């Protein structure tokens, strides 16, 4: 079973994201900031990470830079999920190693489509 880590400081977003990802047959863990997200990755590297940009303690950009520097840190697919829609943010995220970028609010169809594009959800899976 694929494993997804959700890193977001909003409890509501984490719950919505968890419901969506679990409905796609993923195992899910949550972290409320980048520092806790990195600790989770040290315990078990996920297949995919849904990552918020703006968080206290450690933001998504810093998390991503640290993740990609870890042993096996290149393996997870990282999808930034944020309200930041400026091209500069998107470019910085992709340059830092993000694989995809989706805008909040998002729904199950959007997440399923991104997971399919990234090859972590088969097209035959009921989206």
């Amino acid at each position: 079973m694929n494993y997804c880590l959700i890193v977001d400081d909003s409890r509501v977003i984490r719950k919505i994201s968890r419901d969506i990802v679990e409905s796609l047959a993923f195992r899910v863990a949550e972290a409320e900031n980048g520092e806790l997200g990195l600790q989770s990755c040290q315990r078990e590297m996920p297949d995919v990470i849904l990552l918020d940009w703006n968080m206290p303690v450690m933001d998504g950009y810093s998390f991503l830079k640290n993740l990609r520097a870890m042993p096996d840190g290149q393996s997870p697919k990282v999808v930034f999920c944020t309200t930041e829609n400026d091209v500069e943010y998107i470019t910085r995220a992709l340059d830092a190693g993000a694989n995809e970028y989706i805008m909040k609010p998002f729904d199950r169809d959007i997440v399923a489509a991104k997971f399919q594009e990234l090859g972590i959800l088969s097209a035959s899976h009921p989206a």
Side-chain angles (χ1 to χ4, degrees):
M1 177 180 277
N2 281 333
Y3 170 46
C4 177
L5 174 63
I6 298 164
V7 184
D8 198 301
D9 60 322
S10 165
R11 184 179 308 138
V12 172
I13 295 295
R14 288 195 313 270
K15 164 133 183 43
I16 292 167
S17 299
R18 174 183 281 275
D19 290 347
I20 289 170
V21 174
E22 285 179 341
S23 78
L24 298 172
F26 279 72
R27 215 166 31 90
V28 177
E30 299 176 19
E32 63 190 51
N33 62 57
E35 187 174 292
L36 294 173
L38 286 175
Q39 290 172 14
S40 181
C41 290
Q42 288 170 340
R43 288 189 297 276
E44 181 182 4
M45 196 60 76
D47 299 296
V48 63
I49 300 169
L50 293 180
L51 180 62
D52 185 24
W53 189 285
N54 297 305
M55 294 178 288
V57 184
M58 180 186 288
D59 66 13
Y61 182 77
S62 298
F63 166 87
L64 182 58
K65 297 288 277 185
N66 282 283
L67 170 74
R68 293 307 193 207
M70 290 172 65
D72 204 30
Q74 293 294 321
S75 62
K77 302 293 186 192
V78 176
V79 180
F80 257 110
C81 305
T82 183
T83 56
E84 299 293 350
N85 63 358
D86 190 305
V87 150
E88 179 186 329
Y89 281 94
I90 297 168
T91 302
R92 280 182 65 207
L94 296 174
D95 287 349
N99 300 94
E100 275 295 341
Y101 200 98
I102 58 179
M103 298 302 299
K104 291 179 183 175
F106 52 85
D107 61 19
R108 185 179 189 276
D109 291 342
I110 292 168
V111 173
K114 289 296 181 185
F115 281 16
Q116 285 174 0
E117 286 175 26
L118 292 170
I120 51 178
L121 184 68
S122 70
S124 64
H125 191 283

